[in-house]
Amino acid sequence: MKNQPEVQVSIIIPNFNGEAYIANCLQSLYRQKEQDFEIIVVDDASKDKSLAIIRHYPDVRLLINSKNLGFAASVNRGIRA
């Protein structure tokens, strides 16, 4: 097994009922020329179909809050991850 280089950039995306936007957001990241990043989506107890959409992207690390903690708490959770 090769040694994987450590990821230098983590993209943290807070999500709350972002069904209308999340697919386009993730697709735009995958279209970037430079791909040396990880994507962490922190869901804030969404009630729409955004979680199902996010799960179509297996490389995305998904963290799910059991209740809506708000933007700052969700971003901080993503940073800690």
Side-chain angles (χ1 to χ4, degrees), residues 23-42:
N24 189 42
C25 174
L26 295 172
Q27 289 168 7
S28 69
L29 290 171
Y30 284 112
R31 287 192 300 264
Q32 298 302 309
K33 181 178 177 184
E34 296 297 327
Q35 292 289 308
D36 186 24
F37 57 79
E38 68 175 338
I39 302 170
I40 301 171
V41 176
V42 183

Side-chain angles (χ1 to χ4, degrees), residues 4 6 22 56:
Q4 296 288 334
E6 190 170 324
I22 195 67
H56 283 304

Side-chain angles (χ1 to χ4, degrees), residues 7-8 12 20 28 33-34 40 55 57 70 78:
V7 174
Q8 297 297 313
I12 311 298
S28 69
K33 181 178 177 184
E34 296 297 327
I40 301 171
R55 288 185 174 119
Y57 298 86

